[in-house]
Amino acid sequence: MSTDANNTLHNGSALEFKSSTFSVPVLVLSSNDWIIIEHQLQKKIQLAPDFFKNSPIVFDVQWLNKNKLDIDIAGLLDTIRKAGLLPIGIRGGNEGQNKQAIDLHIPVYSVHNSLSNEHKNIDRTPAKAQAVAPESAAKAQATIITHPVRSGQRVYSSGDLIVLAQVSAGAEIMAEGNIHVYSTLRGRALAGVQGNVEARIFCSDLEAELISIAGTYKISEDMRSIARNKPVQIYLQEHALIIKDIA
């Protein structure tokens, strides 16, 4: 390439920053017992291993600090990584924890109120008896997505998840409550991921790669006989997934 061509390329912009919003699961801790944390973390990941594999995650220690329960950030990061997750931020940390996180190249996320939504319904039993304790999906605020969920994107909701556009092949949507897709569902949809067997999936057109409720799942090969271009609901009945037309 000529010198003039190189100068032309170098004079142009090689990059730019754009604002964007990504949905990342938040790991809310309410125990500093390493054995309990590791056990319950593995148990929850087993409900949807493909979704959580190499998934970015923010860990929240605000409740621990509020109740004067110390936790070693380096040890926590090690536990999270051993579970196959990729920690990308700390939330609710004190000054020492935030400094330790930054020294370990983990960004600090701010908390906008004194007790975030994830903590409102945590059972206040002794902390040693519990670990990862997300709020009840029935009471959690619904997450509404108004744009298409594209291939490679992941969306997580601690309550119901409502998608007003299509979910593309290769995308993953996950909710502790119900999932509503008011368009074509082509990716992977996992409802009731914390064991809520009453959760349901609703969509206008089912062409999914995988559907799951509380760990019970069907893949695309199991859904070949399902009629396209019509609304359906999916729910659990006697440990089996039922796909039923919505009249």
Side-chain angles (χ1 to χ4, degrees):
M1 185 177 291
S2 68
T3 302
D4 290 342
N6 279 327
N7 289 337
T8 300
L9 289 175
H10 292 163
N11 289 335
S13 176
L15 55 84
E16 62 179 316
F17 288 100
K18 290 186 176 181
S19 62
S20 183
T21 300
F22 294 92
S23 296
V24 177
V26 177
L27 180 66
V28 180
L29 294 168
S30 55
S31 172
N32 60 354
D33 187 309
W34 292 113
I35 296 176
I36 295 176
I37 291 174
E38 187 169 3
H39 173 73
Q40 292 195 13
L41 187 58
Q42 291 288 353
K43 183 177 179 181
K44 292 179 185 301
I45 288 173
Q46 287 171 6
L47 294 172
D50 290 337
F51 183 91
F52 280 114
K53 183 179 180 181
N54 296 325
S55 174
I57 196 162
V58 173
F59 56 95
D60 189 310
V61 294
Q62 184 180 191
W63 193 88
L64 295 181
N65 290 327
K66 184 175 182 294
N67 289 273
K68 297 180 173 55
L69 297 173
D70 192 27
I71 192 164
D72 178 64
I73 299 303
L76 178 58
L77 289 172
D78 186 55
T79 298
I80 292 172
R81 287 171 178 145
K82 282 182 179 178
L85 301 171
L86 304 176
I88 64 167
I90 181 175
R91 192 174 71 175
N94 57 35
E95 184 177 352
Q97 291 167 338
N98 289 344
K99 183 181 184 305
Q100 188 179 8
I102 291 172
D103 289 343
L104 295 168
H105 309 292
I106 298 296
V108 174
Y109 285 74
S110 63
V111 178
H112 297 293
N113 50 46
S114 60
L115 196 61
S116 62
N117 288 336
E118 287 88 349
H119 300 73
K120 287 181 180 177
N121 294 308
I122 292 177
D123 184 8
R124 297 310 190 229
T125 52
K128 290 289 182 180
Q130 54 180 322
V132 184
E135 77 176 335
S136 169
K139 296 180 180 179
Q141 183 176 1
T143 299
I144 300 176
I145 305 295
T146 59
H147 52 78
V149 183
R150 305 192 184 282
S151 179
Q153 290 185 315
R154 290 178 166 183
V155 177
Y156 185 97
S157 174
S158 58
D160 285 359
L161 176 62
I162 302 170
V163 183
L164 304 179
Q166 74 171 3
V167 178
S168 300
E172 293 180 311
I173 56 175
M174 192 173 185
E176 296 177 22
N178 303 308
I179 290 176
H180 304 257
V181 179
Y182 292 99
S183 185
T184 302
L185 171 57
R186 291 193 177 94
R188 303 159 65 91
L190 301 91
V193 294
Q194 300 294 347
N196 180 8
V197 297
E198 300 298 323
R200 297 193 178 208
I201 299 172
F202 304 87
C203 68
S204 300
D205 180 16
L206 180 62
E207 300 181 23
E209 299 165 354
L210 177 144
I211 53 174
S212 171
I213 295 177
T216 300
Y217 66 91
K218 285 181 181 286
I219 59 176
S220 56
E221 287 78 5
D222 301 324
M223 298 181 280
R224 289 176 177 172
S225 61
I226 303 302
R228 308 298 188 187
N229 302 313
K230 60 192 306 184
V232 297
Q233 63 171 315
I234 300 117
Y235 57 92
L236 271 178
Q237 182 174 295
E238 296 180 355
H239 307 289
L241 281 184
I242 306 299
I243 302 174
K244 184 177 181 181
D245 294 349
I246 299 176

